[in-house]
Amino acid sequence: MTTVYDLSLDELTERLASWGEPAFRARQIYAQLWRRAATYEQMSEISSVLQERLAAELPLGVTVLTERSADKGATRKALLQLGGGKHIVEVVLMGYADRVTVCISSQVGCAMGCGFCATGQMGLMANLSAGEIAAQVVWARREASALPDTTPRRLTNVVFMGMGEPLANYARVSAAITKLTDPDGFKLGARHITVSTVGLVPGIRKITEHHPQVGLAVSFHAATDELRDELVPVNKKYPLDKLEAAMADWRKRTGRRASIEWAMIDATNDSDEQAGKLAEIAYRLGAHVNLIPLNPTPGWPTQPSPRDRIKTFARILKAGGVNVTIRDTRGKEIDAACGQLRLSHDAAL
Ligand code: SAH
Ligand code: SF4
């Protein structure tokens, strides 16, 4: 089913013209939908007849199935039903003192097969359309105003770190970025969008070319091919030297620092040796490293590394001249990690 967020301004104008509505009406509705994140019922300047026709023929296509909050309301996680019903994904809204970030999904499930990841354990169920991807961000803009006043209450950042591998759904993710940065529409700065990838080299090259202002995060989890082949199967296709070369070109072209994501997995990838090898790669790339304590999933019973191990690992990186942060586990009590809410929802059915 086509939702209104799948249409460009021209397409919406055409559709409304076929209903006998003038072009200014389409512009007005488009701005309301994207800029203000308004629902049709909130558009008091259009007639209720038109509101109803829009809702029936060009629905927003976003239904909240469940919503949970943590961190005194500053973290909210929702299970959204998109595009007329079949696609269910998770979205996490995180309010900080200086920014509000939404973590969105690009696919239902994921085909990349990383064993420790709840989304990977589902396999790939569907690619989301550009409108379905963008609609999650519009939802977040609407919700941000309801966050506590310890936050700016205004959506500032978007990260593709929910379900799915964004660069495996490149054309639609790219179209969604274009919609979100449209100066006549949502008007988000491309620098406030970050794509997280497992390391699909052709996708990194495409995004470098088409969206050089978008930030890049790459999920490494291992700094030797031997270990990475095991943890991140796609490494067999795009091994570390190819990945590093694509990231080096990205840095050269954009002048920006990439992030390297690293889930800290007990007695698996948390050795001094891995830290030393990672330090060399990250230093060469001028990349920032994010250490994320593993969130244990039912399909992969390994534990996160102990706190002291994570600190030692971080110290080795720092000694190697690398910027490192230990990611706070936001919304831990509501399972705010990759793919988790969807799994618990399925289990409850
Ligand atoms: N497919 C993309 C983006 C979605 S995953 C990617 O892999 O980068 C978002 C982040 O969550 C990735 O860094 C991923 O490695 C991490 N992640 C997945 N499962 C996790 C788990 N169980 N514990 C901690 N981090 C996890
Ligand atoms: Fe897919 Fe990312 Fe999960 Fe790997 S970590 S299975 S790429 S969502």
Side-chain angles (χ1 to χ4, degrees):
M1 176 192 240
T2 305
T3 75
V4 73
Y5 292 112
D6 282 298
L7 302 187
S8 64
L9 174 57
D10 284 349
E11 288 163 339
L12 181 66
T13 308
E14 227 171 84
R15 180 67 82 93
L16 288 185
S18 76
W19 299 357
E21 294 290 339
F24 82 84
R25 184 70 75 207
R27 276 198 305 277
Q28 189 181 38
I29 293 169
Y30 188 83
Q32 293 278 323
L33 281 170
W34 289 95
R35 202 67 216 278
R36 265 196 58 217
T39 61
Y40 292 130
E41 301 90 81
Q42 291 168 338
M43 297 181 195
S44 49
E45 63 287 350
I46 61 176
S47 71
S48 58
V49 174
L50 183 54
Q51 284 178 7
E52 277 163 30
R53 183 159 188 195
L54 283 161
E57 296 187 34
L58 292 174
L60 303 187
V62 183
T63 309
V64 180
L65 293 181
T66 61
E67 214 179 334
R68 290 192 280 171
S69 72
D71 306 317
K72 300 202 177 92
T75 303
R76 299 172 70 154
K77 180 158 179 163
L79 201 60
L80 299 185
Q81 190 167 29
L82 298 170
K86 289 200 309 288
H87 300 160
I88 297 173
V89 298
E90 57 160 8
V91 182
V92 189
L93 190 61
M94 293 162 288
Y96 300 87
D98 61 339
R99 66 189 192 280
V100 175
T101 300
V102 67
C103 173
I104 58 164
S105 299
S106 55
Q107 299 180 309
V108 187
C110 180
M112 298 296 127
C114 310
F116 55 87
C117 168
T119 308
Q121 290 160 18
M122 292 163 60
L124 178 64
M125 294 158 85
N127 280 311
L128 295 180
S129 72
E132 288 174 313
I133 295 167
Q136 299 167 60
V137 186
V138 178
W139 171 85
R141 178 172 276 177
R142 190 155 51 236
E143 289 295 304
S145 59
L147 287 172
D149 60 11
T150 49
T151 76
R153 287 180 156 163
R154 187 173 57 79
L155 182 71
T156 56
N157 294 73
V158 174
V159 295
F160 282 85
M161 290 189 188
M163 296 166 72
E165 167 50 44
L167 300 184
N169 188 19
Y170 183 78
R172 299 179 186 93
V173 165
S174 172
I177 292 171
T178 302
K179 285 173 181 291
L180 293 170
T181 52
D182 178 0
D184 295 325
F186 199 76
K187 211 181 173 184
L188 184 73
R191 288 177 170 272
H192 296 276
I193 301 176
T194 298
V195 166
S196 175
T197 175
V198 69
L200 300 187
V201 166
I204 294 174
R205 297 206 176 278
K206 278 191 264 184
I207 205 153
T208 308
E209 191 179 324
H210 303 146
H211 301 284
Q213 301 209 300
V214 165
L216 180 67
V218 181
S219 302
F220 265 61
H221 311 307
T224 55
D225 283 322
E226 195 189 1
L227 180 59
R228 199 162 189 268
D229 282 351
E230 233 175 82
L231 294 176
V232 180
V234 80
N235 189 69
K236 293 184 197 119
K237 198 159 175 198
Y238 306 113
L240 284 164
D241 58 343
K242 301 260 181 338
L243 178 57
E244 186 178 336
M247 291 174 72
D249 287 347
W250 179 83
R251 173 145 175 77
K252 214 163 131 196
R253 168 82 192 263
T254 64
R256 303 185 70 189
R257 289 172 182 276
S259 301
I260 290 180
E261 310 289 304
W262 190 286
M264 294 294 297
I265 312 175
D266 186 33
T268 302
N269 65 350
D270 56 0
S271 65
D272 291 358
E273 190 211 349
Q274 285 291 324
K277 293 218 153 76
L278 171 60
E280 288 171 25
I281 298 173
Y283 184 80
R284 285 197 294 269
L285 288 171
H288 180 105
V289 174
N290 269 319
L291 301 177
I292 314 152
L294 178 82
N295 217 311
T297 54
W300 214 71
T302 316
Q303 290 304 305
S305 307
R307 205 72 200 164
D308 281 354
R309 187 69 321 252
I310 301 180
K311 285 192 180 147
T312 306
F313 198 91
R315 262 199 300 276
I316 295 171
L317 290 167
K318 275 188 202 144
V322 175
N323 237 313
V324 52
T325 42
I326 300 174
R327 171 99 53 88
D328 71 346
T329 39
R330 269 283 170 140
K332 209 168 175 157
E333 70 268 37
I334 53 168
D335 292 337
C338 187
Q340 308 248 315
L341 184 60
R342 174 65 201 275
L343 279 191
S344 45
H345 176 77
D346 284 350
L349 286 175

